[in-house]
């Protein structure tokens, strides 16, 4: 069964303390892996798309990487405004109409 | 504002009542999706439209749920005979792409339903 697992469920960091969030997946024929950010009471906001192992994307303090089994979202020197839930989703060849979502990692960055 | 708009933002209703949510997608976006999300969970797919055609509906979705997208513009999601388990955030998303290759969905801010 296609599955997306995110860890940790929650992470608390001090401002400036770099860390990584993990998204592991088991899907057949991965077509894309996506990262979204979600603020409380809001809809998810698209961050990145990764298509193949070895690919990396960056945006400000965030960098997403992809291997054949997992993706990491690296947060460098985070700020309090980076506090949010980060969601991972995948799209595979046999399911071209909807994304398979993880449960998310809730990140809190303390000033 | 040209983003995805959802109304109402909050709805409190009594069990057994019907509720309807509206979504206005970004203009000219072909695809429109409805998701449901509860606290601590990722979005759960409900249904999606390509223009006015409803192409897929989740098998987990009760027949109390119905969605329409007349004329391929705005969409409505109706829940009949609401139950307490229907309490959730209902999210609408749209995309200009004919496939999910880019994964880029534009979400609205959601409609939060509380069933008493």
């Amino acid at each position: 069964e296609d599955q997306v697992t995110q860890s940790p469920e929650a992470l608390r960091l001090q401002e400036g303390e770099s860390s990584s969030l993990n998204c592991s997946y088991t899907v057949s024929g991965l077509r894309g892996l996506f990262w979204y950010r979600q603020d409380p009471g809001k809809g998810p906001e698209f961050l990145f798309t990764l298509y193949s192992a070895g690919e990396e994307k960056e945006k400000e303090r965030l960098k997403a990487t992809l291997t054949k089994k997992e993706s990491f979202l690296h947060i460098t020197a985070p700020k309090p405004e980076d506090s949010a839930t980060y969601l991972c989703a995948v799209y595979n060849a046999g399911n071209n109409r909807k994304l398979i979502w993880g449960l998310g990692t809730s990140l809190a960055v303390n000033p | 504002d040209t983003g995805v708009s959802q109304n109402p933002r909050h709805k409190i209703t009594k069990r057994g009542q019907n509720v309807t949510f509206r979504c206005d997608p970004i203009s000219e976006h072909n695809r429109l999706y409805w998701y449901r999300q509860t606290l601590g969970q990722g979005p759960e797919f409900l249904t999606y439209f390509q223009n006015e055609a409803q192409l897929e509906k989740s098998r987990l979705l009760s027949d109390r749920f119905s969605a329409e997208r007349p004329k391929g513009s705005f969409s409505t999601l109706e829940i009949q005979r609401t139950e307490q388990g229907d309490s959730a955030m209902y999210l609408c998303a749209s995309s200009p792409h004919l496939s999910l290759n880019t994964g880029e969905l534009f979400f609205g801010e959601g409609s939060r339903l509380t069933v008493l």
Side-chain angles (χ1 to χ4, degrees):
Chain A
E1 182 183 349
D2 296 336
Q3 197 167 13
V4 176
T5 303
Q6 292 189 245
S7 62
E9 290 184 10
L11 181 63
R12 185 176 294 276
L13 301 173
Q14 288 299 122
E15 184 171 2
E17 179 186 1
S18 301
S19 188
S20 296
L21 313 182
N22 177 267
C23 171
S24 63
Y25 60 90
T26 51
V27 295
S28 54
L30 180 75
R31 288 286 185 88
L33 184 143
F34 316 108
W35 283 97
Y36 281 77
R37 169 193 170 125
Q38 186 171 25
D39 292 304
K42 301 284 184 70
E45 176 187 353
F46 175 78
L47 292 174
F48 303 111
T49 302
L50 300 167
Y51 294 106
S52 56
E55 188 174 1
E56 298 183 353
K57 292 277 180 71
E58 286 190 63
K59 180 180 181 180
E60 297 180 354
R61 295 177 292 281
L62 301 177
K63 183 169 80 172
T65 62
L66 181 65
T67 72
K68 289 185 178 180
K69 295 182 179 180
E70 60 193 346
S71 175
F72 291 95
L73 184 65
H74 307 277
I75 304 177
T76 302
K79 297 182 178 181
E81 53 262 42
D82 294 323
S83 298
T85 294
Y86 290 86
L87 294 163
C88 172
V90 299
Y91 159 51
N92 66 359
N95 196 7
N96 65 353
R97 293 172 174 170
K98 54 185 184 283
L99 302 178
I100 302 166
W101 294 84
L103 300 184
T105 292
S106 175
L107 174 67
V109 181
N110 297 327
Chain B
D1 185 13
T2 57
V4 177
S5 176
Q6 292 189 244
N7 288 288
R9 292 292 314 282
H10 303 276
K11 179 71 176 179
I12 299 174
T13 191
K14 293 182 179 179
R15 187 176 55 187
Q17 298 295 305
N18 299 344
V19 296
T20 299
F21 300 115
R22 176 180 169 125
C23 172
D24 287 273
I26 294 173
S27 179
E28 298 180 356
H29 276 195
N30 296 308
R31 286 199 166 190
L32 186 148
Y33 299 78
W34 284 100
Y35 284 89
R36 175 170 61 190
Q37 188 178 29
T38 53
L39 194 63
Q41 302 292 313
E44 175 193 2
F45 171 80
L46 296 179
T47 188
Y48 94 102
F49 293 83
Q50 183 164 309
N51 299 313
E52 67 275 10
Q54 186 174 18
L55 296 186
E56 187 166 345
K57 184 176 177 180
S58 170
R59 286 173 292 177
L60 301 176
L61 202 60
S62 160
D63 58 7
R64 297 183 295 106
F65 288 70
S66 62
E68 294 182 340
R69 192 184 183 194
K71 303 179 182 178
S73 55
F74 71 93
S75 176
T76 58
L77 175 69
E78 181 183 16
I79 309 174
Q80 296 181 326
R81 305 181 304 281
T82 53
E83 302 172 357
Q84 288 183 326
D86 297 332
S87 296
M89 175 77 87
Y90 290 84
L91 293 166
C92 175
S94 68
S95 171
H97 307 290
L98 293 180
S99 73
L100 282 173
N101 277 352
T102 70
E104 186 172 11
L105 298 179
F106 296 80
F107 282 88
E109 296 201 329
S111 293
R112 181 167 294 285
L113 174 64
T114 301
V115 182
L116 302 177

